[in-house]
Amino acid sequence: MGVSLIWRRFAWLYRSWHGVLCLRAVLSSLPLNGEGLPAPKDNSLDIFVECLRVFTVASDNPEGSILEQFLRYRQELLDWNTRMNLTAITGPEEVLIKHFLDSLSVLTVYDHPRTRLLDIGSGAGFPGLPLKIVRPQWQVVLLEATRKKVAFLQHMIETLQLKNVEAVHARAEDVGHKQEYRAAFDVITARAVASLPALLEYAAPFCRVGGQIILLKKGALEDELAQGKRAASELGAILKADVAVTLPGLEDGRRLLVWEQQKLSPKQYPRSGAVMTKKPLGVGR
């Protein structure tokens, strides 16, 4: 679809949604029979549906099948979460926005028609699985170190009948040294699973030259970002963009850090997790 078209569509959506929020703020301040108005009905589903219209292509979404996949995904996630720890977000409305829509925010900075994507520390599938649902032509590998979470990912792949996607039970520091994975992906994603220097060290060895690493972060990052930039220089990568997420319901300090792999990562990376903790890249330089 293209990133520029997505941004134009979201500019219109944001202006429309901002107007709704302002109207609600005014209405909620007016008294009703001496009492405040009741809280407005949660409309997370409406927000999510509108955003899906921006992100999806009609030919990939016959009769709203993509929305049906997301609703089934949510149902299975919350069901499995009663038996194992998949997510701390358990409200059905919050899942739509803080998991699914947050994952799809990646498309505001990267949206190539054919892509091989690796999602590191995928957990319950974020952001890799939502991206696969709306971009069925992408090849996706979900890398997760916890066996029970991999079982859930495999269940979702089968339940949603997704093709060209696999869940791999392994640690990034191990498979990052295997020939079939090294420098083999167009884009790497990771969602706040570690510090920036560690995330970059995990991700860079998987990324082809000219590919991108997209890290989903939140909060104040000035010191961490400075360290991340120094680490990236040792890994053959450079920061290309720091983009604030402004999608409806996600205006809470979320950011997309986009890095470009300019040369192959040195062969010694990634190091073990213990070594990364003891001797993090980008410190004291």
Side-chain angles (χ1 to χ4, degrees):
M1 180 182 293
V3 170
S4 61
L5 177 57
I6 286 177
W7 270 114
R8 289 197 298 273
R9 289 186 177 184
F10 266 114
W12 172 85
L13 179 60
Y14 180 80
R15 289 193 299 270
S16 301
W17 182 241
H18 180 70
V20 171
L21 290 178
C22 291
L23 179 60
R24 285 188 172 178
V26 172
L27 290 176
S28 63
S29 67
L30 297 177
L32 180 63
N33 296 328
E35 300 178 356
L37 288 172
K41 178 183 178 182
D42 185 278
N43 57 349
S44 298
L45 180 59
D46 295 336
I47 295 173
F48 186 67
V49 169
E50 286 301 316
C51 290
L52 268 188
R53 290 175 181 169
V54 175
F55 284 129
T56 56
V57 179
S59 60
D60 293 332
N61 190 28
E63 298 181 359
S65 61
I66 288 180
L67 177 59
E68 292 177 5
Q69 286 181 304
F70 274 112
L71 295 180
R72 181 63 185 275
Y73 187 178
R74 180 178 67 175
Q75 176 185 338
E76 295 294 326
L77 173 67
L78 295 179
D79 179 45
W80 278 59
N81 201 56
T82 63
R83 304 188 298 275
M84 57 183 288
N85 183 25
L86 286 172
T87 175
I89 296 174
T90 57
E93 296 80 13
E94 284 189 303
V95 169
L96 290 176
I97 303 301
K98 294 184 178 180
H99 277 328
F100 296 165
L101 187 56
D102 182 54
S103 297
L104 297 182
S105 69
V106 170
L107 295 173
T108 64
V109 295
Y110 184 95
D111 192 16
H112 293 196
R114 297 287 175 181
T115 286
R116 190 170 190 222
L117 178 147
L118 173 70
D119 186 25
I120 296 177
S122 194
F126 311 120
L129 205 49
L131 289 169
K132 175 61 182 179
I133 291 172
V134 299
R135 292 294 178 268
Q137 72 275 22
W138 285 11
Q139 296 181 23
V140 173
V141 175
L142 308 171
L143 184 61
E144 172 53 46
T146 303
R147 186 177 298 276
K148 289 183 178 180
K149 292 180 180 179
V150 173
F152 171 74
L153 294 174
Q154 292 171 335
H155 170 72
M156 289 312 311
I157 291 169
E158 295 172 2
T159 298
L160 301 179
Q161 299 181 345
L162 301 174
K163 308 297 182 183
N164 295 319
V165 54
E166 62 175 326
V168 176
H169 177 227
R171 294 184 179 277
E173 58 262 42
D174 296 327
V175 296
H177 291 282
K178 293 185 177 181
Q179 188 64 34
E180 64 266 35
Y181 289 100
R182 198 166 181 91
F185 295 88
D186 302 303
V187 61
I188 319 296
T189 57
R191 190 177 182 234
V193 296
S195 67
L196 273 179
L199 284 175
L200 288 165
E201 185 171 345
Y202 284 131
F206 293 100
C207 194
R208 67 168 177 81
V209 174
Q212 294 190 353
I213 299 168
I214 303 175
L215 305 179
L216 291 76
K217 281 284 192 175
K218 181 180 177 182
L221 297 173
E222 285 70 21
D223 293 340
E224 187 179 354
L225 188 56
Q227 186 180 344
K229 290 178 180 178
R230 293 191 293 268
S233 68
E234 299 184 50
L235 296 162
I238 187 172
L239 181 67
K240 298 294 288 185
D242 179 356
V243 180
V245 176
T246 58
L247 302 183
L250 296 175
E251 306 96 333
D252 56 358
R254 295 168 195 251
R255 293 156 69 176
L256 299 168
L257 303 179
V258 184
W259 311 76
E260 182 179 291
Q261 195 70 33
Q262 296 193 320
K263 58 183 179 181
L264 291 176
S265 176
K267 292 182 179 180
Q268 69 266 32
Y269 301 117
R271 300 167 298 165
S272 70
V275 174
M276 287 188 207
T277 300
K278 186 176 182 180
K279 297 181 179 180
L281 295 180
V283 175
R285 297 193 180 186

